[in-house]
Amino acid sequence: MPIDVHFLTEATLDDARLADYRDLQDRRLGEESGRFVAESELVVRKLLPSGLRVLSMLLTAPRLAALEPALTEVKGDFPIYVVAQATMDEVAGFHVHRGCLAIAERPWRTQIPAGSRIVVVLVDLVDVDNLGAMARNAAAFGADAMLLSPRCADPFYRKAVRTSAGAVLSLPIVRATAWPDDLLALRERQGFNLVGAVVGDHALPLADFTPPDRLALLFGSEGPGLDPATQRLCDALVTVPMAMSPGVDSLNVATAGAVFLYHCTQWNGRAARPRD
């Protein structure tokens, strides 16, 4: 498509066209907005062919030059605003060190895709970096979808999108609206086994765990882990035994997620599957 480029100067800091980019550190563009911001050239390159509707882009001149070949292949029409690095930083409210931002429409998904075999379930995970890292792990190991409890962080908050390396753009993510009903529906309607990842001697060591054909793998919040009420809903509890070094009794949730997903997707030679 022809690229619709607008070169803006410092005098345009209050330009209404840049409203979505203003003060991004203040957690703007929440779920109710229907939009999200993609940050960094890496993430934007994944956004462009994702099928999500891009509304606009804010770039420095070097990033425009780097992205121009990819932009000419994109279907759809949206404005590209080119500004100096200092102007971008002032508008966004932080140093956008890669000089590349884009606004796009959020994907709305209300159910786990039919035919899914591995679903990552996050229960009250509130740190956006951990959530983004979990999405990246899920995509890397071929999980089919992610289910979030109502209190989980926003997977399309700027930092979560960036930390996921753009994985949230392709991984189906569903936020539960009725909890724990939406979780239990995975077992009752779709035949998933609910398996909780926990810390403690009461759980089966991961090395002894044989993954079922349809697996919903549950991870709890930072610190407390998977809450007792949710543990009681699980068909099995599994743990990664720790060496109990002084001051270290567990893994970061995203690290634990990678360990669990590797085990479950490589079991009996079953490798991660490419997503359609």
Side-chain angles (χ1 to χ4, degrees), residues 194-275:
L194 308 184
V195 177
V198 300
V199 175
D201 296 336
H202 63 296
L204 180 70
L206 181 60
D208 298 330
F209 173 62
T210 301
D213 287 339
R214 306 197 82 185
L215 168 66
L217 194 53
L218 282 68
F219 297 90
S221 61
E222 301 85 352
L226 198 62
D227 63 277
T230 304
Q231 289 190 35
R232 288 193 289 271
L233 299 176
C234 291
D235 300 299
L237 299 176
V238 181
T239 190
V240 176
M242 296 285 102
M244 301 306 292
S245 300
V248 180
D249 61 357
S250 63
L251 298 172
N252 167 272
V253 63
T255 303
V259 173
F260 273 90
L261 283 165
Y262 177 80
H263 174 85
C264 292
T265 57
Q266 301 299 316
W267 181 263
N268 198 26
R270 184 176 66 187
R273 304 182 311 281
R275 189 173 298 105

Side-chain angles (χ1 to χ4, degrees), residues 2-22:
I3 302 177
D4 182 19
V5 179
H6 304 260
F7 291 89
L8 307 182
T9 66
E10 282 190 45
T12 62
L13 286 176
D14 295 326
D15 194 310
R17 294 174 293 180
L18 303 185
D20 281 343
Y21 296 98
R22 194 161 288 116

Side-chain angles (χ1 to χ4, degrees), residues 38-157:
E39 177 189 354
S40 84
E41 183 178 335
L42 170 66
V43 174
V44 169
R45 284 187 180 276
K46 292 185 177 181
L47 170 64
L48 291 174
S50 70
L52 299 178
R53 183 187 174 203
V54 180
L55 301 176
S56 68
M57 297 179 66
L58 183 64
L59 307 175
T60 59
R63 293 285 74 74
L64 174 62
L67 285 167
E68 190 167 4
L71 289 167
T72 60
E73 300 297 324
V74 177
K75 296 180 180 179
D77 186 17
F78 53 86
I80 299 171
Y81 305 114
V82 180
V83 297
Q85 181 71 58
T87 303
M88 178 178 284
D89 295 347
E90 187 167 351
V91 170
F94 66 99
H95 178 52
V96 186
H97 65 281
R98 299 190 187 278
C100 185
L101 298 170
I103 303 295
E105 287 187 352
R106 289 172 177 249
W108 294 107
R109 296 185 172 96
T110 59
Q111 58 186 4
I112 301 300
S116 296
R117 294 180 60 192
I118 299 178
V119 174
V120 174
V121 181
L122 304 183
V123 183
D124 299 347
L125 198 69
V126 297
D127 182 90
V128 293
D129 290 304
N130 280 333
L131 196 152
M134 287 293 286
R136 183 174 185 175
N137 292 339
F141 289 108
D144 298 294
M146 181 177 285
L147 176 68
L148 309 181
S149 73
R151 289 197 292 266
C152 276
D154 179 5
F156 286 92
Y157 176 61

